[in-house]
Amino acid sequence: MNAIEAVSLSKIYHRSKTQALSDITLTIGRGEIFTLLGRNGAGKTTFLRIAATQLMPTKGRISVLGHDVRDEPLEIRSKIAVVPQEGSTIGPLTPWDHVYLTLIARGLSRNEARQRAEKTIAQLELLEYRNQPADSLSGGLRQRVRVAMAVATDADFIFLDEPTLGLDAVSRRRIWGVLNEIQKEGRSILLTTHYIDEAEILSNNVAIIDRGRLVVSGSPAELLRNVKERVRVDIVGSSFSPEELKSYGRVVKLAERFRVLTDDRRGKELADEAVRRGSDVALARVSLEDLFVDLVGRVEE
Amino acid sequence: MLSITWLRRNLLSLVWLFATPFSLLFIITVTTGGRSFPLGVIGSLLLVLSTVGTGLAGDATWYRLETKLQDFFVASPVNQLGYLLGIAFAGLFFASPALVVLLPLLVYIGLPLFTLPLVLLSLVGVWLFSSAIGYLVSTFTSNLRNGWQSGLLLSVLVGILPPVFYPAEILPRNILIVTYAIPTTNAALLIRDAMGGTPTLPYWSPLTGWILIILSLAIALAVTSRVARWRQP
């Protein structure tokens, strides 16, 4: 049984007449970390909210852990936990209160709630803040508290809607570590993020959504294998004319640098030539970000 | 838990909840030369309880839109009624200091102690009814400002306008019958009855008062559980 099976899933917000999702067919395996990537308003949160039984779909079918979201929401809710996007903590409660009381509300015994809260607070490095009022904590720490509220549960499937938004690099890596530990326990994770490096590092599989439509899905490695250009050459400065660069491959302008996407041989040639001309140059394999920009388009080329 | 911590750090919250009911009690007592003091105490008690209930229109909107706590609990084994009761109890705690003053005062001015359990039961009915409609309204509210304003409006409709601070007998018959639909009216009449001043009103007796409280509460809870937006459409 898969964690999620969506078939021709669509969502229309009638009030704003917005087609948020259009004919999405997607399967998410059990025990995997699956990431939804997309620009703002692409439909990631809508998909996650439908799967988490917070929002009704308009058309199509979606089941979570074998249960239909329309007809069997109660069966799903007993097995999931969610970190909603852009929420906040509750002023005077401490991180400990947030995590412990969430577990009590979900029906865990006091003893189990205490043990789980202790473990999660330590995992997310919140020990030194555990008894401080949440409104005295930084935004990053508060976000870690919100993640802890979901992670500490015994849910089989955890949904995280942009859990690392606004966090510093160290905090993000701490959360990645915790998500990996959860996965090792056999639990499934659905993640939405704007950080493509996060998706590439964490995910078993990703899906790119654009304007409510599924553009592509698969493992990061599979997706990159299908990319025509294998390497990227970043050149800073203007030692090459745009026409010259275009003769090596596809050119993307990124602020003060040009990025040329090409094959291995041409990439090496261009990098060597750039060195000869005294330009700052970096040669690397194409990343998921290159694929994302390519597929979602709409960048200045 | 939230309420205890909140009160400990925001003692001014107490002043806010004392302010309106005790101001009305003061005005009523002074303007009637003390004759309506018992009605003022009954009205204040009911206003406090209905206000913490209808205040959920603002509180629950805040939990839904700002903290996303409702989304968090929708996707969990906690059901809508459990969530409603949880946030309603949190609100009730804010009323407790006023209750600690007003309930003994009610006994002091003539409520027989043996009737206290029944009076408390009617107060619970008022609080649950107000909480249910406050929560119901919150689930349709799309911004926080509207949430707080709806709470204030509901508080006036449930806790001030019905005959709780003044004798029901002075209302025109048609309006009086309409106010029977609001549990604060029946709770006020039942408390007056318990204090020995059984009101003589058309179509009303203590038994009908209880039936009406139970009926209005059952309808409020049924409508809330069917209509309130737990999962968004």
Side-chain angles (χ1 to χ4, degrees):
Chain A
M1 184 212 313
N2 286 311
I4 288 185
E5 286 176 10
V7 180
S8 301
L9 187 70
S10 296
K11 175 68 188 176
I12 298 169
Y13 290 109
H14 291 290
R15 189 183 262 185
S16 60
K17 298 188 176 78
T18 308
Q19 174 103 34
L21 291 179
S22 185
D23 208 24
I24 300 257
T25 296
L26 190 64
T27 299
I28 299 176
R30 267 200 121 142
E32 68 177 48
I33 299 180
F34 192 100
T35 302
L36 293 174
L37 283 171
R39 302 181 73 201
N40 293 327
K44 309 182 295 292
T45 296
T46 299
F47 183 90
L48 183 143
R49 294 193 73 221
I50 289 173
T53 73
Q54 296 166 335
L55 184 66
M56 286 295 276
T58 306
K59 270 196 283 187
R61 196 166 50 77
I62 175 168
S63 65
V64 176
L65 300 172
H67 301 286
D68 187 87
V69 296
R70 277 181 214 270
D71 304 329
E72 301 170 298
L74 299 183
E75 285 80 356
I76 295 170
R77 286 169 184 163
S78 63
K79 296 173 184 166
I80 64 171
V82 174
V83 181
Q85 192 188 113
E86 290 179 347
S88 67
T89 46
I90 297 174
L93 295 188
T94 64
W96 170 263
D97 297 333
H98 278 85
V99 179
Y100 177 73
L101 294 175
T102 297
L103 298 177
I104 293 291
R106 286 181 67 106
L108 270 68
S109 69
R110 282 169 185 264
N111 199 29
E112 192 179 356
R114 199 173 297 116
Q115 282 174 11
R116 282 184 167 272
E118 295 276 8
K119 181 184 165 198
T120 310
I121 279 178
Q123 273 180 322
L124 282 157
E125 293 179 351
L126 289 164
L127 271 177
E128 68 178 289
Y129 312 101
R130 66 173 264 168
N131 295 320
Q132 286 186 26
D135 54 9
S136 71
L137 303 178
S138 68
L141 286 170
R142 277 183 279 187
Q143 181 62 5
R144 271 151 66 181
V145 172
R146 295 180 67 245
V147 170
M149 288 165 69
V151 164
T153 66
D154 54 356
D156 292 336
F157 195 171
I158 296 183
F159 298 75
L160 301 107
D161 199 353
E162 300 189 11
T164 58
L165 187 68
L167 295 188
D168 62 63
V170 176
S171 297
R172 285 175 65 205
R173 280 165 174 72
R174 172 51 29 206
I175 288 180
W176 297 353
V178 172
L179 297 184
N180 276 323
E181 286 171 40
I182 289 173
Q183 188 186 23
K184 282 181 195 150
E185 293 168 9
R187 301 202 262 171
S188 313
I189 295 171
L190 174 61
L191 183 74
T192 76
T193 183
H194 286 295
Y195 300 119
I196 297 169
D197 60 328
E198 184 166 288
E200 198 162 4
I201 291 166
L202 271 179
S203 316
N204 303 101
N205 285 296
V206 301
I208 296 176
I209 295 179
D210 187 38
R211 284 174 281 187
R213 291 185 179 279
L214 179 66
V215 179
V216 69
S217 71
S219 71
E222 277 168 7
L223 297 182
L224 289 174
R225 267 201 299 277
N226 294 327
V227 178
K228 200 167 54 198
E229 300 101 347
R230 307 305 298 269
V231 298
R232 68 183 192 206
V233 186
D234 285 355
I235 299 167
V236 181
S238 55
S239 54
F240 290 87
S241 69
E243 286 70 29
E244 268 183 294
L245 290 175
K246 276 180 189 162
S247 70
Y248 284 94
R250 196 156 56 84
V251 182
V252 179
K253 188 170 187 324
L254 301 168
E256 293 305 307
R257 75 175 62 181
F258 288 98
R259 174 166 291 176
V260 180
L261 300 160
T262 185
D263 59 40
D264 289 306
R265 184 181 61 79
R266 300 287 287 158
K268 191 164 180 319
E269 282 173 14
L270 175 58
D272 289 344
E273 182 60 25
V275 170
R276 266 196 299 278
R277 295 189 192 186
S279 297
D280 285 339
V281 63
L283 175 69
R285 288 267 161 225
V286 290
S287 67
L288 203 54
E289 182 172 330
D290 298 308
L291 174 69
F292 178 82
V293 173
D294 187 29
L295 291 173
V296 175
R298 285 175 274 171
V299 291
E300 187 184 355
E301 292 204 16
Chain B
M1 178 71 196
L2 169 62
S3 315
I4 298 168
T5 318
W6 191 282
L7 276 183
R8 215 171 50 212
R9 301 186 70 210
N10 301 278
L11 276 173
L12 273 178
S13 308
L14 293 182
V15 177
W16 174 79
L17 244 166
F18 272 107
T20 308
F22 281 81
S23 301
L24 286 170
L25 176 60
F26 174 76
I27 292 166
I28 285 165
T29 306
V30 168
T31 54
T32 61
R35 282 191 311 281
S36 294
F37 181 69
L39 273 176
V41 174
I42 293 170
S44 298
L45 195 57
L46 292 168
L47 178 60
V48 167
L49 282 164
S50 56
T51 299
V52 293
T54 57
L56 285 192
D59 287 355
T61 303
W62 184 70
Y63 286 130
R64 182 166 57 84
L65 297 179
E66 295 296 311
T67 67
K68 303 285 171 77
L69 199 68
Q70 183 169 324
D71 263 0
F72 187 86
F73 280 116
V74 169
S76 84
V78 176
N79 61 29
Q80 182 163 230
L81 185 63
Y83 177 75
L84 163 59
L85 286 177
I87 56 176
F89 267 110
L92 184 62
F93 192 82
F94 287 95
S96 55
L99 298 183
V100 164
V101 174
L102 289 168
L103 278 171
L105 196 57
L106 200 61
V107 173
Y108 178 73
I109 60 174
L111 181 79
L113 260 182
F114 71 89
T115 63
L116 195 58
L118 277 179
V119 167
L120 287 176
L121 210 57
S122 69
L123 295 178
V124 168
V126 165
W127 165 65
L128 277 176
F129 173 87
S130 311
S131 301
I133 59 169
Y135 171 73
L136 173 65
V137 168
S138 84
T139 64
F140 289 92
T141 305
S142 56
N143 71 66
L144 199 49
R145 183 182 288 261
N146 287 355
W148 299 126
Q149 288 170 344
S150 306
L152 288 173
L153 179 65
L154 288 172
S155 171
V156 171
L157 293 176
V158 177
I160 294 179
L161 289 183
V164 292
F165 281 99
Y166 59 91
E169 291 85 342
I170 63 174
L171 280 178
R173 187 187 173 94
N174 290 345
I175 295 178
L176 177 66
I177 288 170
V178 171
T179 67
Y180 288 165
I182 306 169
T184 40
T185 303
N186 294 295
L189 296 175
L190 285 169
I191 296 172
R192 281 176 60 193
D193 174 60
M195 292 172 79
T198 307
T200 311
L201 295 164
Y203 310 115
W204 196 89
S205 70
L207 180 63
T208 51
W210 277 111
I211 291 171
L212 286 167
I213 287 183
I214 293 166
L215 199 64
S216 55
L217 177 59
I219 291 171
L221 288 175
V223 169
T224 299
S225 62
R226 284 193 70 84
V227 178
R229 286 181 172 172
W230 184 236
R231 171 162 34 176
Q232 298 296 302

